[in-house]
Amino acid sequence: MTALVQPRHDLSPDEIDAVEDNLYDHNRRATGRDDGQGLGFVIQDEAGRTIAVAAGYSWAGISELKQMWVDEAYRGRGYARELLNAFVSEAARRGVRRIWLASYDFQAPGMYEKAGFKRMVEFEGWPERYTNIILCMTLVEPSVPNAS
């Protein structure tokens, strides 16, 4: 059978979820770790409309904060920091050792750094004229085997 690569630039959320499930299954088999869980928090206004979100996951002692968003009308009130604190606390409760995230220089890398995240790498020109920054927070230092 010859593989035929076809353009599909409009995958549905269900199709993307299926890919994520397949990737998780592969990673689970490769590592023996089957403890992946979503990790997220929301803030809603009085009408029940979501105005702020922190979303990611924990798995195998690590966590990724994939999305952090606060509606423009509600920025500057400390909501992002509250969400970040809740995310970090829950990750720690789950035994996560490290949390990582990506933030463009025009987003909120300073907020993450104030919270204790450290810049690990910067990709300049991603997109052009901007920088994509990978940050990491270590909650628990990995144990190093005794070399004696």
Side-chain angles (χ1 to χ4, degrees):
M1 177 177 145
T2 303
L4 177 60
V5 176
Q6 301 174 31
R8 279 289 309 278
H9 308 298
D10 59 348
L11 294 174
S12 71
D14 287 340
E15 289 170 309
I16 293 170
D17 285 347
V19 171
E20 291 281 347
D21 290 345
N22 288 328
L23 287 168
Y24 180 79
D25 189 51
H26 171 79
N27 295 345
R28 178 192 54 77
R29 287 191 320 270
T31 64
R33 297 292 299 262
D34 190 21
D35 59 349
Q37 298 180 59
L39 200 168
F41 295 90
V42 301
I43 297 175
Q44 296 179 321
D45 66 11
E46 300 78 23
R49 188 177 71 97
T50 299
I51 59 168
V53 175
Y57 64 86
S58 64
W59 171 72
I62 55 122
S63 183
E64 179 186 5
L65 176 58
K66 293 181 78 163
Q67 291 96 16
M68 171 74 85
W69 172 81
V70 177
D71 184 286
E72 283 189 54
Y74 294 89
R75 292 183 186 164
R77 300 179 189 193
Y79 292 163
R81 185 58 188 252
E82 286 183 42
L83 288 168
L84 184 58
N85 289 343
F87 192 95
V88 169
S89 293
E90 177 60 17
R93 189 192 69 73
R94 294 180 184 188
V96 164
R97 293 177 174 267
R98 290 184 196 91
I99 302 171
W100 74 279
L101 61 93
S103 179
Y104 291 105
D105 57 354
F106 57 84
Q107 291 177 325
M111 178 196 69
Y112 297 118
E113 289 172 315
K114 286 178 187 171
F117 284 79
K118 304 225 181 313
R119 289 179 187 226
M120 304 305 287
V121 66
E122 296 183 15
F123 298 105
E124 292 184 25
W126 289 43
E128 189 174 331
R129 297 189 335 262
Y130 299 101
T131 302
N132 189 352
I133 304 160
I134 307 300
L135 299 105
C136 182
M137 173 186 274
T138 300
L139 302 176
V140 177
E141 291 291 338
S143 58
V144 179
N146 191 348
S148 45

